[in-house]
Amino acid sequence: MKAITFDTFGGPEVLHVAEVPLPVPGPGQIRIQVRAAGVNPLDGKIRSGAMKAVFPTPLPAVLGIDVAGVVDALGDGITDVAVGDRVVGWADAPAGSYGEYALAGAYTPLPDGLDFPAAVTLPVAGETAARSLNLLKVGDGDTLLVHGASGAVGQVTVQLAVERGATVIGTAGAANQERVRALGASPTVYGPGLVERVHALAPNGVDAVLDIAGKGALPDSIELRGGIDRIVTLADFAAQRLGVVFSAGPPENSADDLGTLADRLVRGRLITTVAGIYPFAEAEQAHRVSDGGHAGGKVVLIP
């Protein structure tokens, strides 16, 4: 089968299309004919070699976690889906979702009316958002500050936090302020004066901070919290030096939760954004957009 691979760590230019072996589903796995694969910031960090100590990656490698497509083959013990069903889920390593076929052990059927690119906005973003909110113990009455509120993970995080009864302040670029407001958060921009802007929006302070953007906002976050308690970053490697929790998993993939999000998305009760759709041949450009940190939603690859 054809897949996007890389043989050496480096920039987006190391990605190329190549022939790789067709994966065979094991017990509890399905094989999916991929119709859409999500590109996540983590993919770029793995490709660059920045995550080698955390995610050892034998080369050549096929990246990708978010996957949506059609069930092509069943491993032993699979009874909840059939060949030909439309599904979305998390691709199992070592074969990622950047290929014509992928394996998955955690997945959910797609509701009618939900297309494949929209579906792949959900697995990583939904799992990361829920896990982060649980880690921060965000609940009713809390004020949560989210850095990177307009991105793929940020959008879902804001909406789930609001559902929990939290008041949310979301930072984003100037062009994405209204998008953040539409999610149910009070928006503000990055940059100098952030502490003062957040104080104006939350005179009683913030109870928790989630940094998804990784753009150097941790010192301001610590000032706003008056310490490092209830601050989590998903992207800023300065966390260890500052004593802040850096969360990279392990993932808590729940097919039931994913199914709920898919149902809500098709019913218009959840907002996500497909930032761009690129064919496999343009994987390099897709990674450049994702690496830039201003995609404004999920970057999607299609075979």
Side-chain angles (χ1 to χ4, degrees), residues 230-246:
R230 295 184 77 186
I231 302 175
V232 169
T233 181
L234 309 180
D236 195 333
F237 293 116
Q240 183 175 10
R241 174 173 54 84
L242 296 170
V244 170
V245 172
F246 186 104

Side-chain angles (χ1 to χ4, degrees), residues 108-112 114 122 256-270:
T108 192
L110 282 188
D112 292 340
L114 184 60
L122 297 174
D256 288 341
D257 289 350
L258 182 58
T260 298
L261 290 177
D263 182 69
R264 290 183 55 194
L265 184 60
V266 78
R267 293 174 182 271
R269 294 175 50 226
L270 182 75

Side-chain angles (χ1 to χ4, degrees), residues 85-144:
D85 286 353
R86 301 165 68 249
V87 295
V88 60
W90 295 269
D92 288 342
S97 60
Y98 290 17
E100 292 180 309
Y101 295 88
L103 302 179
Y107 52 84
T108 192
L110 282 188
D112 292 340
L114 184 60
D115 65 28
F116 296 117
V120 292
T121 65
L122 297 174
V124 168
E127 185 279 329
T128 304
R131 173 167 46 84
S132 300
L133 292 173
N134 290 339
L135 184 59
L136 286 166
K137 298 181 172 60
V138 173
D140 188 26
D142 281 336
T143 296
L144 170 68

Side-chain angles (χ1 to χ4, degrees), residues 27-41:
Q29 287 183 316
I30 61 173
R31 184 169 67 205
I32 300 171
Q33 184 181 27
V34 177
R35 300 293 180 82
V39 177
N40 292 289

Side-chain angles (χ1 to χ4, degrees), residues 69-97:
V70 177
V71 178
D72 171 74
L74 307 177
D76 290 343
I78 297 296
T79 59
D80 55 347
V81 291
V83 171
D85 286 353
R86 301 165 68 249
V87 295
V88 60
W90 295 269
D92 288 342
S97 60

